[in-house]
Amino acid sequence: MNRECLTIIGTAHVSEKSVEEVKDAIYEKQPDVVAIELDKGRYIRLRKEMAGIEEDDTIPITKIIKENKIGVFLVSTILGHFQSKIGAELDVKPGSEMIGAIEAAEDLKIPIALIDRDINITLQRALNKMTFKEKFKFLTGLVTSFFSDDDEADELDIEELKNPENIDEVMGYFKEVSPGAYEVLVKERDAYLAGNILRIKQDKVVAVVGAGHKPGIEAHLNNPEGIPPLSSLVITNEKKSIPWVKIILTLIPILFVVIFFLAFISGINISDNLIEFIVISMIMGFLGSILSGSKLISAIVGGVVAPLTIIHPLLAAGWFSGLTEAKFRKIRKRDISNLSNVEKISDLWHNNIIRILLVVIGTNLAVSIATLIILPSQVFIPLFMKIFGG
């Protein structure tokens, strides 16, 4: 790639003017390659949309729960909702500028280069970088935005989002919310996009990217030695500092088993304590699920598995109640689009995505209360006192 023959177009993803700007640039420059800020998955989805091919409307929520990707799914769903909502208000579909680039490239028979990182990898790395407090603050802010006053948004000039001063202000706020996630979503992607642009063998390139990435990409292209190996930017299981919270949560069930074992070898009758442990666990699992709005069968499943999941640190009762609930509530893409119609908190109750996630979270929360508060005070501390003669 010849740096002097590179044209980078910074776009707003829901802007009709961006679509026109992209097409005009490609027809005018007639480059050797059109590079677009898409990964393979999003590119395939856009191509199907362009061809009028309707994909299976069902979302594999059971697979998402089993693979423990609820966080990634929830964040991508909410962010996608807001982008779709803004696009609907402006009568522009999100990704229209990328479709414009694809159409212009195909018209001129110019090859296309996909330069973005897989969105799932990006979101997972961002979540890995966020502290629990940052995740809570971020999700709370997003959910609150569902019910914010739209008067100011109606006055928004979407083209102003491409103004470097406004981009810096928005990015600065996001950096304040979570520096780690900002590093992944912005800085890392700047480097990844720039690295893939440099990999293009042809000389004359038009690159279509979000306006927020353009300054960072240009900075990396001017100093390519600072771009890290791209392979290091797609790792999702990076070694982090010692996860003390996870260690403690893992030690708790081990401690429960040790106390039962010590009581048994000490000749103490633990049958009543075992029954109390099972009953409390099952009641809390059942209540957590049913109070979250689950079907009766989902609550029963959550209650039945609760004792086992408390002892097994790698299992969660909410996964089981959520998987059961998903059998009755099929998740479809329209459930995501219907989020645009949400005007008050009660509207969320009628959305299958939210209902299943509530069941997962509610069941796990109730079982956690049992594990950290009720069972220690009612079962294990009294049993501990008996073992050591208290």
Side-chain angles (χ1 to χ4, degrees):
M1 192 275 301
N2 187 331
R3 181 74 173 85
E4 295 180 356
C5 297
L6 170 67
T7 301
I8 301 177
I9 305 173
T11 70
H13 293 309
V14 286
S15 166
E16 184 61 40
K17 288 184 180 179
S18 286
V19 178
E20 297 171 2
E21 182 183 357
V22 165
K23 284 190 170 183
D24 289 345
I26 293 173
Y27 282 116
E28 178 185 343
K29 302 287 184 181
Q30 297 207 7
D32 300 322
V33 173
V34 174
I36 54 178
E37 186 194 328
L38 288 176
D39 60 30
K40 184 178 180 180
R42 286 182 290 164
Y43 174 72
I44 291 173
R45 287 192 291 274
L46 277 183
R47 290 307 304 258
K48 287 183 178 179
E49 180 182 323
M50 292 167 63
I53 299 173
E54 294 187 6
E55 295 182 276
D56 182 4
D57 195 38
T58 304
I59 295 175
I61 191 67
T62 54
K63 182 180 179 182
I64 291 169
I65 295 173
K66 287 178 180 178
E67 295 180 357
N68 198 21
K69 293 182 178 179
I70 293 177
V72 171
F73 172 71
L74 184 59
V75 172
S76 62
T77 296
I78 294 176
L79 292 177
H81 155 71
F82 286 116
Q83 194 174 60
S84 297
K85 189 172 183 179
I86 294 173
E89 290 173 357
L90 298 170
D91 197 26
V92 180
K93 285 186 177 181
S96 292
E97 85 285 17
M98 298 299 169
I99 291 178
I102 293 170
E103 290 175 339
E106 289 187 337
D107 187 33
L108 297 173
K109 295 181 172 54
I110 298 171
I112 293 171
L114 306 177
I115 59 174
D116 201 6
R117 180 171 58 185
D118 186 293
I119 183 62
N120 293 311
I121 292 175
T122 296
L123 291 178
Q124 188 59 64
R125 284 178 66 89
L127 288 173
N128 290 346
K129 293 283 187 178
M130 296 174 77
T131 64
F132 177 80
K133 183 179 179 181
E134 289 173 346
K135 290 176 183 176
F136 181 79
K137 184 177 180 180
F138 179 66
L139 289 177
T140 301
L142 287 176
V143 173
T144 302
S145 299
F146 273 105
F147 315 105
S148 61
D149 190 351
D150 288 329
D151 290 342
E152 293 183 5
D154 291 339
E155 300 174 1
L156 175 67
D157 180 358
I158 201 69
E159 288 303 306
E160 285 299 306
L161 290 178
K162 296 191 290 184
N163 186 313
E165 293 181 0
N166 292 335
I167 291 172
D168 289 342
E169 183 177 348
V170 173
M171 290 298 128
Y173 170 74
F174 189 63
K175 185 176 182 179
E176 181 181 343
V177 172
S178 176
Y182 171 84
E183 181 71 22
V184 172
L185 295 173
V186 180
K187 296 297 185 180
E188 278 192 7
R189 284 183 68 210
D190 289 348
Y192 194 87
L193 292 166
N196 274 331
I197 289 174
L198 288 174
R199 286 182 170 184
I200 296 174
K201 296 180 180 179
Q202 292 87 340
D203 289 332
K204 197 173 182 181
V205 178
V206 168
V208 183
V209 300
H213 291 293
K214 185 176 178 179
I217 291 173
E218 290 179 334
H220 280 297
L221 292 176
N222 291 333
N223 298 280
E225 66 279 358
I227 300 176
L230 299 193
S231 59
S232 69
L233 300 179
V234 294
I235 300 171
T236 57
N237 57 347
E238 295 176 293
K239 292 183 178 180
K240 299 182 289 185
S241 58
I242 299 175
W244 291 111
V245 173
K246 288 186 177 181
I247 290 175
I248 293 172
L249 292 177
T250 302
L251 289 176
I252 289 175
I254 294 175
L255 180 61
F256 290 172
V257 173
V258 169
I259 291 176
F260 270 132
F261 178 73
L262 290 177
F264 177 75
I265 63 175
S266 298
I268 298 173
N269 187 346
I270 62 172
S271 57
D272 290 341
N273 302 97
L274 277 172
I275 292 173
E276 194 172 5
F277 165 77
I278 293 171
V279 170
I280 291 174
S281 303
M282 292 180 68
I283 289 175
M284 290 302 292
F286 178 87
L287 288 177
S289 180
I290 203 72
L291 292 177
S292 300
S294 74
K295 303 285 187 182
L296 180 60
I297 184 64
S298 302
I300 292 174
V301 170
V304 169
V305 302
L308 174 62
T309 60
I310 288 176
I311 297 300
H312 198 305
L314 299 180
L315 297 178
W319 298 351
F320 294 90
S321 58
L323 288 170
T324 306
E325 192 71 13
K327 298 291 184 181
F328 298 98
R329 301 183 187 277
K330 295 296 182 183
I331 301 295
R332 303 190 181 279
K333 291 181 181 178
R334 61 173 173 265
D335 289 308
I336 297 177
S337 60
N338 285 342
L339 288 172
S340 301
N341 301 321
V342 171
E343 296 180 353
K344 51 186 182 296
I345 293 179
S346 59
D347 291 340
L348 295 174
W349 189 254
H350 302 291
N351 189 284
N352 284 340
I353 294 175
I354 303 301
R355 289 292 290 275
I356 292 175
L357 292 177
L358 282 175
V359 171
V360 175
I361 295 169
T363 306
N364 285 340
L365 179 61
V367 174
S368 295
I369 291 173
T371 304
L372 300 174
I373 301 174
I374 301 176
L375 289 173
S377 62
Q378 297 297 315
V379 178
F380 293 104
I381 292 178
L383 194 57
F384 183 86
M385 298 301 287
K386 288 181 182 179
I387 295 172
F388 295 97

